[in-house]
Amino acid sequence: MRPVLIFDLDGTLVDSKKDLTASVNYIRTRFDLPLLTAEEIAGFIGNGALMLIRRALGSKASEENVQAGLQMFLSYYRTHMLDTTVLYPGVLETLNRLVDCKLAVLTNKPVHFSCAMLDGLGVYKRFAAVYGGNSFDHKKPDPVGVYQILSDTKGQRERTWMIGDSAVDVLTGRNAGIRTCGVTYGYATETFKDAPPDFLIDNFSDLEALVHD
């Protein structure tokens, strides 16, 4: 049975920090809020677009403003999400070598953005399944997406990995009863202290040896 590798997207496969920063700051200017740094905005990422905007609006995060801000953000980000976003070093080469594994993406980013991003970066066809934050009734760390991917790939839980850059990804894997691997180069790696992954890698290419060990 082939291993199943389930990847987070932002901060794991792709470095989208600059485009997310620009998009969030665009929204903040529309609400007369000062610009934030990329590091500050990186701390808002990981729980889906709605939570991103709620955090980004801070003191102005009334429900009305959040909903309006979300629509502005989605419209702006749709146009600008590939301005500077790139695959992390080693991602393309490693995905090409993992031919004996079934690959999937499970992210809290909206699924149509996720598919469009992966397609724009030339790797969409490498994945057997791609699911986003609006694919199911519950987002990560709920394990529903993992269960769907296991069904899609006919994978075995004991040969399945969740790979990501945050405690959300680790908890998703734990909740599904699969192994977890954290990447140290992502956006929310400080959250690993609250939910340590089973394994940690510094470079995406290190994954190959780990899953074939």
Side-chain angles (χ1 to χ4, degrees):
M1 184 67 69
R2 291 159 69 185
V4 178
L5 309 183
I6 304 172
F7 298 98
D8 175 48
L9 184 56
D10 298 278
T12 301
L13 294 176
V14 304
D15 183 356
S16 53
K17 189 181 287 186
K18 288 181 181 177
D19 290 334
L20 282 167
T21 298
S23 299
V24 168
N25 274 330
Y26 168 76
I27 302 310
R28 284 182 61 87
T29 61
R30 295 291 297 271
F31 286 90
D32 298 318
L33 291 166
L35 302 183
L36 296 176
T37 66
E39 286 64 38
E40 288 170 316
I41 291 171
F44 300 160
I45 299 166
N47 297 99
L50 182 66
M51 186 59 73
L52 171 64
I53 298 307
R54 182 166 281 128
R55 290 166 174 162
L57 290 181
S59 61
K60 294 195 175 181
S62 68
E63 203 53 42
E64 183 180 0
N65 284 351
V66 169
Q67 291 301 327
L70 177 63
Q71 295 312 309
M72 290 180 211
F73 170 80
L74 294 175
S75 177
Y76 185 91
Y77 189 59
R78 184 179 292 111
T79 304
H80 296 282
M81 67 178 175
L82 286 171
D83 285 359
T84 63
T85 291
V86 293
L87 297 169
Y88 279 109
V91 168
L92 180 61
E93 299 81 357
T94 304
L95 292 179
N96 285 338
R97 288 194 298 266
L98 291 170
V99 292
D100 60 335
C101 299
K102 293 185 178 181
L103 310 179
V105 171
L106 180 61
T107 172
N108 280 340
K109 193 188 207 81
V111 67
H112 54 290
F113 285 91
S114 304
C115 293
M117 176 174 285
L118 291 166
D119 190 46
L121 295 171
V123 294
Y124 177 70
K125 292 180 180 178
R126 286 170 172 77
F127 298 100
V130 177
Y131 292 110
N134 56 342
S135 295
F136 309 102
D137 289 338
H138 301 285
K139 295 180 174 66
K140 296 185 298 183
D142 191 286
V144 60
V146 174
Y147 296 152
Q148 183 61 54
I149 289 167
L150 286 171
S151 174
D152 293 342
T153 60
K154 299 180 172 57
Q156 294 179 326
R157 204 172 294 186
E158 59 272 18
R159 301 206 69 196
T160 300
W161 296 72
M162 181 74 220
I163 300 118
D165 71 317
S166 74
V168 171
D169 301 306
V170 175
L171 293 172
T172 303
R174 278 191 199 166
N175 290 339
I178 62 174
R179 282 181 284 189
T180 59
C181 175
V183 300
T184 60
Y185 54 77
Y187 304 155
T189 54
E190 74 282 352
T191 62
F192 287 150
K193 66 180 182 293
D194 300 318
D198 298 322
F199 300 91
L200 267 177
I201 57 173
D202 295 322
N203 303 290
F204 191 86
S205 56
D206 297 338
L207 184 64
E208 196 175 1
L210 186 61
V211 300
H212 290 138
D213 189 19

